[in-house]
Amino acid sequence: EVQLVETGGGLIQLGGSLRLSCATSGFTVSNTYMNWVRQAPGKGLEWVSVIYRDGTIYYADSVKGRFTISRDNSKNTLYLQMNSLRAEDTAVYYCARDGPERWIQNWGQGTLVTVAS
Amino acid sequence: DIQMTQSPSTLSASVGDRVTITCRASQSISSWLAWYQQKPGKAPKSLIYKASNLESGVPSRISGSGSGTEFTLTISSLQPDDFATYYCQQYNSYPYSFGQGTKLEIK
């Protein structure tokens, strides 16, 4: 069974840094495409970043240069390093796994990041 | 970037009704479209991929259709478990983008 468990969220000051983790089981993180998707309170879904099997990475323009996606194959874990946090980064962050044909098939339960001034 | 527009934003319906949600892409995305259901406080759940393919375990009263720029999600006979928010998402190219959501409410 595929499982995705995010941790690392919390309250952080404006301009601060935070690292989110996504522990996975039921599959090998290095053999699939992994994403981060976020959802601001009461708002819709916003794709944030993806890391391919071969290590290719893409980011949304809204986080480019501030966020870094990575993975630890030995721990089967995905990460999102978030720097220079802004109020508009406040959201629930979901770790998400692509299905065989590249849609987002599996989602974690999410972790809330609140950026406060 | 590809913009996704859903309509309506809110839909009021009754158990047993047939409902349709529309999703339009700002440019052709072939059939690279997925639909998700989200309930309050929960993660989204994948319902349909490649415009019309039902995820395993999703009831057959839910269906999807379309290609190019126009897509629809149809629920043939609403059940109490179907009242939720629905999102479409294009995965034709990065950045992936979602529609703004359609909240399906009980009339």
Side-chain angles (χ1 to χ4, degrees):
Chain A
E1 181 192 4
V2 170
Q3 288 197 325
L4 308 165
V5 179
E6 303 94 334
T7 56
L11 178 63
I12 187 74
Q13 295 299 306
L14 205 60
S17 297
L18 206 57
R19 189 178 81 157
L20 305 182
S21 299
C22 173
T24 74
S25 59
F27 68 100
T28 302
V29 74
S30 61
N31 285 345
T32 190
Y33 292 52
M34 295 294 298
N35 302 265
W36 289 98
V37 177
R38 68 184 180 182
Q39 186 170 36
K43 303 297 184 183
L45 299 165
E46 180 188 15
W47 175 83
V48 172
S49 182
V50 65
I51 183 166
Y52 284 11
R53 284 189 295 256
D54 68 0
T56 299
I57 288 170
Y58 293 99
Y59 296 101
D61 285 346
S62 57
V63 307
K64 201 174 294 182
R66 301 186 299 122
F67 290 12
T68 302
I69 190 172
S70 63
R71 66 185 180 220
D72 184 330
N73 296 340
S74 67
K75 296 182 179 178
N76 222 28
T77 298
L78 180 73
Y79 301 100
L80 186 67
Q81 177 68 42
M82 304 185 296
N83 299 331
S84 303
L85 282 161
R86 306 168 179 169
E88 56 265 34
D89 296 319
T90 294
V92 173
Y93 284 74
Y94 295 102
C95 167
R97 170 183 176 255
D98 275 9
E101 294 194 35
R102 301 295 317 285
W103 81 106
I104 295 177
Q105 186 175 34
N106 305 106
W107 300 71
Q109 87 288 351
T111 187
L112 176 62
V113 173
T114 304
V115 183
S117 54
Chain B
D1 296 0
I2 299 173
Q3 311 303 318
M4 305 301 292
T5 304
Q6 282 181 240
S7 60
S9 296
T10 307
L11 183 54
S12 296
S14 302
V15 172
D17 285 353
R18 177 186 179 90
V19 297
T20 297
I21 299 169
T22 298
C23 178
R24 290 186 174 87
S26 60
Q27 64 190 74
S28 178
I29 58 170
S30 185
S31 296
W32 304 118
L33 184 101
W35 289 96
Y36 304 93
Q37 178 194 66
Q38 187 178 35
K39 296 183 177 179
K42 300 294 187 182
K45 171 188 173 184
S46 173
L47 298 176
I48 287 174
Y49 63 96
K50 209 172 180 182
S52 61
N53 292 270
L54 214 59
E55 274 275 21
S56 175
V58 173
S60 58
R61 64 179 182 273
I62 294 174
S63 63
S65 65
S67 65
T69 61
E70 296 261 343
F71 302 87
T72 59
L73 175 75
T74 299
I75 306 175
S76 60
S77 177
L78 275 173
Q79 298 302 303
D81 190 52
D82 298 331
F83 292 95
T85 299
Y86 293 83
Y87 294 93
C88 62
Q89 179 232 338
Q90 67 82 16
Y91 55 102
N92 178 76
S93 61
Y94 291 108
Y96 284 176
S97 47
F98 293 86
Q100 80 279 16
T102 295
K103 186 176 182 180
L104 182 51
E105 299 180 328
I106 299 175
K107 186 185 287 184

